[in-house]
Amino acid sequence: MAPCTMLFYLLLSISFAEIAFTPCFSSQVYVVYMGSKEEQSSDDILKQNHQMLAAVHGGRLEEAQESHVYSYSNAFRGFAAKLSEEQASKMAEMPNVVSVFPNLKRNLHTTHSWDFIGLGTNEEMEIPGFSTKNQDNVIVGFIDTGIWPESPSFSDVGMPPVPSRWKGECQIGESFTNSSCNKKVIGARYYLGGYDAEEGSHGDFVKEDNAVKLKSPRDSSGHGSHTASTAAGRYVSDMNYNGLGAGGARGGAPMARIAVYKTCWASGCYDADLLAAFDDAIQDGVDIISVSLGPNSPQGDYFNDAISIGSFHATSHGVLVVSSVGNVGTRGSATNLAPWILTVAASSTDRDFVSSIQLGNRKKFMGESMSSFKMNKSVRIVSASNLNAGYFTPYQSSFCLDSSLNRTKARGKILICRHSGSPSESRVEKSRMVKKAGGIGMILIDEIDNDVAVPFVIPAASVGKQAGNAILSYANNARKPKAIILPAKTVLGSTPAPRVAAFSSKGPNSLTAEILKPDIAAPGLNILAAWSPAANQIKYNILSGTSMACPHVTGLAVLIKTVYPSWTPSAIKSAIMTTASVLDKNGDAITADPKGRPASPFDYGSGFPNPARVLDAGLVYDVQPSDYKAFLCSVGYDDKSLQLITGDQSKCSGGPSPSASNLNYPSITVPNLKGSYRITRTVTNVGNPSITYRVRVSPPTGINVTVVPDTLTFRSYGEKLKFSVTFAVIQPSEDYVFGLLSWEAGKVQVTSPLVVRVASGGTSLLQ
């Protein structure tokens, strides 16, 4: 059995819940992917599935039928079944099979953020010059942990009837009836086939780990409600978390319809269930699919990955898929790498949740916190490394591990603990360990400065290494060091903003370096939105992660779809990317991490979205089905695989395939430049019918960039014009270098990042 190497990052690891999920085990179920759907009935497809399974079960049809878990027959062909490793290998050799891969379990990866982006809190607020009042015609599918339909964020008051084109259903289950859906939440399904096949059915779920697991579309963890309300929640006048972030808030597209596809459970999400959700969502008639999930890095082949497969067929059916880039934070850790996915990184807003730490020497430090607990007086402060108990070393106790602290020495004190930055290391749990040892407060030194606020169970706050070292120095050198930690408060106007969050996964693309990932950045740090009362008995919660950034871009995509309903997924994606800004709210270059490191396209893709410009994109880089076919050829797919995936008789050209850099993508990446190289792009006019654009280039350092032609004159709406970009090495560099290419006409700017790396041994043309 293949080892389980990937996990989903519905980012609860650095959120309120901070749930430690069980490890991912080898699967007994395999997904058999067979490409695009042929014109056959579902019954005929099921019969063929059973016949294929019988071939690896020694001709025993009954065993074949019993092994069958799912049939995918709406938008693409395939099935999930219980197979041995040997049977799976035989299945992979069958002529109509594209790939066979294990049913891996993938654990899960306000809102003022919309004010910060540039959309007001009023539901009727329009973007100047455009009407976005027809949001109720747009249907967004959320593949997540379900929904809490009674939340005020999902009220249908004042909404018109459900669009007649909707084909979905409201699936009943535990604590979920037909009346749980309404004119806002118009559809809800849940998927257990892959989960049950691996972990067994246990009837209705019971209370466990402080959350009720409900066998229905109802959200028992809170994550799905949070993402759905961020993208499309109604206006709520009094949203807050224990008084933090108090005020009115709404989602980006508050009148859009919501369809829920619950695939993630307490122990994780299975590939077989995810593909079933994609298959249904496409058939149901959603316009956009939002997926705050993704594989661990490094990501595998596109068609061995459930999200890449599902999103490819969604895009082929005109459905845009928006997903999160991941929460690893290191270079090259980006996931959801397929060019047909709009991949989102996480940034901050200008709002922080902080506690003041006041030392006995009158020095003050601000730390991230959501703790509302109050200390009555200053108390002794001590490093946890001085309180090691039993066989634990001082180094181990400095991380405030379970049973590592001497209770006698810890009692009544504020402890200084360390956090390594690992997603599996719970900040909240450390505060529990301090409380268990008798401590009454905690200062947590965050080794990687994640800037994430969490609801500690005692007075506590997180600080970066610089502040942490200063506090440690005081604690270790003062004769009677004391401190007091004040309750958390909301601070507006923090700068610089936006900045890229430290935890947000970064490029370059580890699978196809010619495609820049992430595509865009959006608020994902300390985001307030709806929650499930089944988890911790609260209605609203503050979470951090690229899971939170993803629905912000989903909301913007809805606004574009509202104004331009005929636009393709790639046109919507292009408009968001090419109108983005690489400057913060002060007009300075966007930085990354609390330390202020200069950010690059590997951090933020094309930049931070600009709603004021996104509906007036001017030009778009549209991608046709033939473009994706050429891309698949360029990355090594042969004629047989290509025809199965696309469902037609497409063939790769007889000669060498064009580079993946030539995909008509809104960003331009050349990762292996030798001497000079030319790429081409095609832009479509979606602005003024008669207009001339002129090019402006900020070339990457050491690279000469030539654009031909340097002006583009359009005479009609929808007209397409080509241009070429030639990169030439002037001065070789050791790493990637970055620049910008912008087509400009008056106030309209259509901007693409340029990302170039000179190949090892690459020479300058001037030599």
Side-chain angles (χ1 to χ4, degrees):
M1 191 67 61
C4 190
T5 57
M6 293 186 290
L7 303 173
F8 272 124
Y9 50 74
L10 220 64
L11 187 74
L12 299 182
S13 59
I14 58 173
S15 70
F16 176 94
E18 296 220 44
I19 298 170
F21 291 103
T22 56
C24 173
F25 295 100
S26 296
S27 174
Q28 296 294 322
V29 175
Y30 284 82
V31 174
V32 180
Y33 171 60
M34 302 173 65
S36 291
K37 179 190 174 184
E38 299 174 355
E39 292 301 322
Q40 294 175 291
S41 70
S42 296
D43 289 341
D44 288 340
I45 290 174
L46 180 59
K47 187 181 297 184
Q48 290 177 12
N49 294 348
H50 288 161
Q51 290 171 348
M52 291 177 65
L53 286 167
V56 299
H57 280 281
R60 295 180 292 275
L61 185 59
E62 185 175 344
E63 287 185 19
Q65 293 171 339
E66 289 177 355
S67 70
H68 191 272
V69 176
Y70 276 121
S71 179
Y72 310 123
S73 59
N74 293 326
F76 49 89
R77 272 293 315 273
F79 57 89
K82 295 179 181 179
L83 297 169
S84 68
E85 187 173 2
E86 182 181 358
Q87 289 171 328
S89 296
K90 291 181 179 178
M91 190 71 70
E93 295 173 358
M94 292 186 178
N96 293 324
V97 173
V98 176
S99 59
V100 178
F101 53 93
N103 176 38
L104 299 181
K105 181 169 69 176
R106 316 196 176 214
N107 287 345
L108 301 174
H109 249 211
T110 71
T111 135
H112 171 77
S113 53
W114 286 111
D115 293 330
F116 179 70
I117 286 178
L119 292 177
T121 56
N122 192 314
E123 286 186 344
E124 285 72 41
M125 183 69 71
E126 300 273 24
I127 295 176
F130 300 91
S131 175
T132 57
K133 291 182 178 179
N134 293 326
Q135 296 170 23
D136 47 61
N137 289 327
V138 181
I139 304 168
V140 185
F142 293 89
I143 298 179
D144 213 298
T145 66
I147 198 163
W148 193 267
E150 293 80 13
S151 170
S153 294
F154 308 124
S155 167
D156 68 348
V157 173
M159 295 195 71
V162 175
S164 59
R165 64 185 174 86
W166 175 242
K167 302 175 185 177
E169 65 177 72
C170 189
Q171 185 177 1
I172 63 173
E174 187 188 4
S175 301
F176 205 93
T177 66
N178 282 324
S179 62
S180 298
C181 295
N182 57 22
K183 290 180 289 186
K184 177 65 174 177
V185 181
I186 64 173
R189 300 176 185 261
Y190 69 99
Y191 302 85
L192 271 169
Y195 175 93
D196 275 347
E198 299 291 354
E199 305 200 11
S201 179
H202 304 289
D204 290 341
F205 294 117
V206 296
K207 190 172 180 64
E208 175 183 305
D209 296 332
N210 297 319
V212 178
K213 281 49 175 196
L214 302 168
K215 201 171 184 178
S216 73
R218 185 171 291 278
D219 183 10
S220 58
S221 80
H223 190 282
S225 300
H226 196 282
T227 55
S229 65
T230 299
R234 301 296 300 275
Y235 178 76
V236 178
S237 61
D238 57 349
M239 186 178 290
N240 70 89
Y241 172 80
N242 287 343
L244 293 173
R250 67 169 177 90
M255 296 298 285
R257 315 289 184 161
I258 291 173
V260 175
Y261 301 86
K262 180 178 177 179
T263 59
C264 296
W265 305 87
S267 63
C269 336
Y270 280 97
D271 279 345
D273 298 327
L274 289 165
L275 277 176
F278 270 106
D279 197 32
D280 283 338
I282 297 167
Q283 176 71 14
D284 289 346
V286 303
D287 299 296
I288 297 167
I289 297 176
S290 189
V291 191
S292 289
L293 311 166
N296 264 1
S297 180
Q299 179 179 328
D301 181 83
Y302 295 120
F303 293 98
N304 283 320
D305 175 71
I307 294 177
S308 295
I309 291 171
S311 59
F312 178 85
H313 292 283
T315 302
S316 299
H317 286 79
V319 178
L320 173 66
V321 177
V322 186
S323 195
S324 42
V325 74
N327 304 306
V328 176
T330 56
R331 177 165 165 157
S333 60
T335 61
N336 286 321
L337 302 174
W340 45 84
I341 299 175
L342 177 49
T343 308
V344 188
S347 75
S348 69
T349 67
D350 63 347
R351 179 177 70 181
D352 288 331
F353 302 111
V354 299
S355 288
S356 176
I357 303 167
Q358 301 179 4
L359 304 183
N361 62 3
R362 298 187 179 182
K363 289 186 177 180
K364 296 180 181 180
F365 297 89
M366 303 303 290
E368 302 292 330
S369 180
M370 289 160 50
S371 173
S372 59
F373 296 102
K374 184 178 181 181
M375 295 181 67
N376 295 320
K377 62 178 182 179
S378 294
V379 300
R380 287 292 297 272
I381 179 173
V382 61
S383 171
S385 64
N386 297 327
L387 307 180
N388 56 302
Y391 294 103
F392 287 91
T393 66
Y395 177 78
Q396 290 170 330
S397 66
S398 72
F399 290 92
C400 295
L401 306 175
D402 190 10
S403 303
S404 69
L405 302 171
N406 184 306
R407 296 192 179 193
T408 301
K409 295 180 179 180
R411 187 173 296 117
K413 297 181 177 66
I414 293 174
L415 273 59
I416 304 171
C417 304
R418 292 188 178 276
H419 188 279
S420 69
S422 168
S424 63
E425 189 180 346
S426 169
R427 293 164 173 78
V428 172
E429 190 63 22
K430 290 183 185 295
S431 68
R432 290 195 182 101
M433 293 304 102
V434 172
K435 183 178 182 180
K436 179 180 176 181
I440 62 172
M442 180 183 73
I443 297 171
L444 186 63
I445 301 176
D446 188 341
E447 298 285 343
I448 61 172
D449 291 353
N450 256 331
D451 248 12
V452 175
V454 297
F456 300 109
V457 300
I458 54 176
S462 297
V463 297
K465 284 194 292 185
Q466 184 175 354
N469 289 336
I471 295 170
L472 271 175
S473 177
Y474 167 72
N476 291 331
N477 294 298
R479 191 167 66 88
K480 290 184 178 180
K482 289 188 175 183
I484 186 171
I485 303 172
L486 302 183
K489 62 180 181 179
T490 305
V491 176
L492 293 175
S494 60
T495 58
R499 67 178 184 278
V500 180
F503 58 76
S504 186
S505 290
K506 300 165 178 56
N509 186 324
S510 62
L511 193 56
T512 308
E514 293 84 354
I515 303 299
L516 175 65
K517 291 290 178 175
D519 293 307
I520 196 80
L525 184 65
N526 302 328
I527 304 301
L528 175 65
W531 194 246
S532 167
N536 305 95
Q537 291 78 52
I538 57 174
K539 293 182 179 179
Y540 308 104
N541 201 0
I542 296 170
L543 300 185
S544 293
T546 54
S547 286
M548 285 64 254
C550 169
H552 281 91
V553 175
T554 300
L556 288 178
V558 171
L559 299 183
I560 298 173
K561 188 72 174 178
T562 297
V563 177
Y564 305 109
S566 63
W567 275 21
T568 64
S570 58
I572 296 172
K573 177 178 180 177
S574 176
I576 292 173
M577 292 174 63
T578 61
T579 59
S581 174
V582 296
L583 303 179
D584 65 22
K585 296 299 182 179
N586 290 332
D588 299 320
I590 292 177
T591 59
D593 316 328
K595 296 178 181 178
R597 171 180 61 82
S600 78
F602 286 159
D603 297 291
Y604 53 61
S606 293
F608 192 79
N610 185 347
R613 294 181 53 208
V614 75
L615 296 177
D616 188 20
L619 306 174
V620 294
Y621 293 84
D622 207 1
V623 179
Q624 302 301 317
S626 58
D627 297 321
Y628 285 132
K629 294 172 186 177
F631 168 78
L632 292 176
C633 292
S634 73
V635 296
Y637 285 84
D638 58 19
D639 290 350
K640 176 189 172 185
S641 296
L642 183 66
Q643 291 169 11
L644 288 172
I645 291 167
T646 61
D648 57 27
Q649 297 303 308
S650 298
K651 290 186 177 182
C652 296
S653 60
S657 297
S659 167
S661 294
N662 275 297
L663 179 66
N664 202 42
Y665 213 66
S667 58
I668 300 174
T669 304
V670 180
N672 196 32
L673 179 61
K674 297 179 181 179
S676 67
Y677 186 75
R678 183 170 65 93
I679 64 97
T680 60
R681 288 290 189 270
T682 300
V683 285
T684 303
N685 182 25
V686 294
N688 190 322
S690 180
I691 192 168
T692 296
Y693 287 86
R694 291 176 173 80
V695 75
R696 180 172 62 86
V697 176
S698 298
T701 302
I703 306 296
N704 183 68
V705 179
T706 305
V707 181
V708 178
D710 58 5
T711 61
L712 296 174
T713 299
F714 295 89
R715 293 178 173 80
S716 62
Y717 182 90
E719 183 180 358
K720 298 177 183 290
L721 292 177
K722 289 186 176 182
F723 64 92
S724 68
V725 184
T726 301
F727 299 89
V729 179
I730 299 175
Q731 180 64 47
S733 57
E734 294 182 358
D735 200 359
Y736 281 93
V737 286
F738 308 97
L740 292 171
L741 183 155
S742 183
W743 290 103
E744 300 178 353
K747 294 182 179 180
V748 180
Q749 295 181 343
V750 186
T751 304
S752 297
L754 304 177
V755 181
V756 179
R757 182 179 62 181
V758 177
S760 177
T763 58
S764 168
L765 295 183
L766 300 181
Q767 292 179 338

